[in-house]
Amino acid sequence: MDFVDEGLGHSSYLIDLGDGSAAVIDPPRFPTAHETLASRDGLRLAWTADTHSHADYVTGSPGLTARLGATFVAPAASRLDSPHDAVTDGQRVELGNGCWLIPVATPGHTLDHHSYLLECDGALIGLFSGGSLMVGAVGRTDLAGPDLAEPLAHQMFRSLRRFDELPDDLAVYPTHGAGSFCSAPGSTERTTTMGRERATNPLLSIASEDEFVDRLLGGFGTFPSYFLRLPELNRRGPTVFDAVPTLDRLSVDTVAEHVADGALVIDARPMADFGAGHIPGSFANTLRPVFASWIGWLIDPGRPLIFVLNDDHDRADVVRQCLDVGHENLLGELDGGIDAWATAGRPVAAIGVVDAHAMAATVVDVRQRNEYVNGHVPAADNVELGAVADMSSPTGQVTVMCGHGERAMTAASILTAAGDRQNEVSVFDGGPDTWSDATGLDLEVGA
């Protein structure tokens, strides 16, 4: 059974070993759904395995070991501080009931990366390929720094050759996929087979190592800054929680005091609500599957966070997503939300949301570069959201846009955080296609 976190592009897997026990591959920090399914089916989570020290999320394997006594299997090359069984290439791990987990050293995506073959009763059942082979793609090799990107790309080529003798009908279960910054561009599907990848994966079909390296390195976009710190957090071992913590309710005065001391307010309401009125200096990040990615990318991990939410928001989802990317200094939420703040006479800021006919002459498109190249409003400048805080901000009236509006509002909240541009920055309601439909004009393609 596979479990998908759409926001992080992360897949994990629960394996029923047929004897009342189960194994989990690359679990998230809070594998609640895995535990619920196992309990429903009367399974004991006896094993958990990580393919590598993950950069895109905090691993749940140490938690499964601490809470349930699961045996944690991980590559010896990961040098983990958490209690685990360190395995090496070709070592057979007996899971029970005739099933074995066989590590295959496949460095490339990371230095320590191993894939796992699952064998039951002498037959190969599947390949858990982690961040090596993915659906229509392979893992990026620049997460350990630019100096290692090319050497690891060469290692990736050689690692993939280790799969050459595997049968065409063997199921392949990657950890990364659509929505993940860990992969080169690929398919939206989550699982595949070796035969399908041999027939359709453009990178796997390249026979020349040098050509493979050139193609792979040429396809990388930017990736979240927190990818550089999570591998070490996972190596040391994350804080273990028995359950997702709850958010404290904070009074208006308490929130104001924390903000004065350096706390950041994260406003998770829809972008139109934020635009209509928010606490000055707060950070707009609509609660959605990619909420965690932008928290991790744009906010210092040690900074205290306070949340402004609507009544219908899932508080557990807010906390889980923050903890998934290693943000643990969560002070609580504003009790009563923005209405309580305004009623107390505290200042409220606003950012205009505009249509195609009210846009400023200067337009900043904060989508990823590949999105921008595929079609943008003519003359729009491209500054990816991850770089907005460091940009040389244009003066005068500016309209920020993205694909739907959420990222644009995040960017606008950064540009106006100092409080001196509230009347100069607006957000476009929609994306490039919205603009094209409203104006009847064509988008510009290319850089």
Side-chain angles (χ1 to χ4, degrees):
M1 177 67 182
D2 62 316
F3 300 83
V4 178
D5 183 321
E6 299 287 355
L8 297 177
H10 164 237
S11 294
S12 53
Y13 303 92
L14 178 69
I15 306 168
D16 183 347
L17 298 172
D19 62 353
S21 67
V24 183
I25 308 294
D26 286 333
R29 187 169 196 175
F30 295 97
T32 306
H34 310 61
E35 295 180 53
T36 298
L37 180 62
S39 177
R40 187 199 72 184
D41 293 346
L43 300 174
R44 178 176 62 89
L45 292 182
W47 299 89
T48 182
D50 282 1
T51 54
H52 58 292
S53 293
H54 300 288
D56 54 336
Y57 71 97
V58 177
T59 177
S61 287
L64 287 172
T65 297
R67 290 185 292 102
L68 303 180
T71 299
F72 178 15
V73 174
S78 298
R79 301 179 294 107
L80 302 183
D81 288 345
S82 300
H84 68 290
D85 282 5
V87 296
T88 56
D89 181 59
Q91 179 180 342
R92 295 172 64 86
V93 179
E94 186 175 9
L95 302 179
N97 200 34
C99 291
W100 299 77
L101 202 64
I102 307 169
V104 181
T106 45
H109 179 52
T110 62
L111 289 162
D112 64 331
H113 193 281
H114 282 51
S115 303
Y116 294 109
L117 286 166
L118 177 65
E119 176 190 291
C120 292
D121 297 325
L124 288 179
I125 303 300
L127 170 68
F128 295 92
S129 58
S132 56
L133 180 62
M134 305 176 191
V135 183
V138 302
R140 63 190 303 158
T141 62
D142 58 342
L143 301 185
D147 292 342
L148 289 176
E150 184 173 342
L152 282 174
H154 284 281
Q155 289 198 45
M156 176 68 82
F157 178 85
R158 298 162 196 160
S159 291
L160 293 173
R161 299 283 69 80
R162 301 203 64 188
F163 301 150
D164 285 347
E165 303 305 315
L166 297 176
D168 280 345
D169 62 353
L170 185 68
V172 178
Y173 303 104
T175 297
H176 305 307
S180 172
F181 287 99
C182 281
S183 71
S187 170
T188 58
E189 297 186 41
R190 312 303 306 193
T191 62
T192 185
T193 65
M194 284 304 311
R196 177 181 170 186
E197 292 310 298
R198 291 185 179 115
T200 63
N201 190 320
L203 287 165
L204 189 62
S205 64
I206 297 175
S208 163
E209 182 170 335
D210 289 340
E211 180 185 351
F212 172 89
V213 170
D214 289 343
R215 286 274 298 276
L216 180 59
L217 296 181
F220 296 156
T222 55
F223 61 84
S225 57
Y226 71 89
F227 279 26
L228 300 176
R229 61 179 174 82
L230 284 198
E232 178 61 14
L233 187 153
N234 282 322
R235 191 196 68 78
R236 295 196 313 269
T239 303
V240 172
F241 295 94
D242 290 332
V244 178
T246 58
L247 283 175
D248 291 337
R249 297 274 181 156
L250 306 176
S251 70
V252 169
D253 289 345
T254 300
V255 168
E257 290 170 4
H258 282 308
V259 169
D261 289 337
L264 178 65
V265 174
I266 307 295
D267 195 318
R269 296 175 299 147
M271 68 114 174
D273 291 355
F274 182 90
H278 57 269
I279 297 174
S282 56
F283 179 91
N285 188 20
T286 300
L287 182 60
R288 60 203 192 280
V290 295
F291 180 82
S293 291
W294 297 116
I295 292 282
W297 196 330
L298 299 172
I299 300 171
D300 184 282
R303 190 164 185 186
L305 304 181
I306 296 168
F307 301 91
V308 173
L309 307 171
N310 282 339
D311 290 341
D312 60 352
H313 274 133
D314 183 343
R315 271 71 179 163
D317 188 35
V318 171
V319 175
R320 179 192 62 78
Q321 289 206 49
C322 289
L323 295 177
D324 278 346
V325 294
H327 277 261
E328 300 186 3
N329 198 352
L330 313 181
L331 298 181
E333 67 166 295
L334 172 60
D335 193 14
I338 194 65
D339 290 341
W341 183 267
T343 300
R346 298 283 181 171
V348 175
I351 294 174
V353 178
V354 300
D355 62 18
H357 304 291
M359 293 172 67
T362 300
V363 177
V364 177
D365 187 326
V366 298
R367 294 176 298 157
Q368 301 300 105
R369 187 65 174 174
N370 65 308
E371 297 176 274
Y372 175 84
V373 168
N374 286 334
H376 57 269
V377 172
D381 295 323
N382 183 217
V383 180
E384 292 187 7
L385 176 54
V388 164
D390 299 320
M391 71 181 281
S392 178
S393 182
T395 58
Q397 297 292 320
V398 177
T399 295
V400 189
M401 71 182 307
C402 60
H404 299 94
E406 289 89 353
R407 281 179 288 176
M409 189 59 80
T410 299
S413 73
I414 294 170
L415 293 174
T416 61
D420 57 355
R421 302 202 62 192
Q422 294 294 334
N423 298 320
E424 294 182 355
V425 179
S426 60
V427 169
F428 180 64
D429 187 8
D433 289 338
T434 312
W435 176 88
S436 182
D437 290 343
T439 62
L441 299 175
D442 292 333
L443 298 176
E444 189 173 278
V445 176

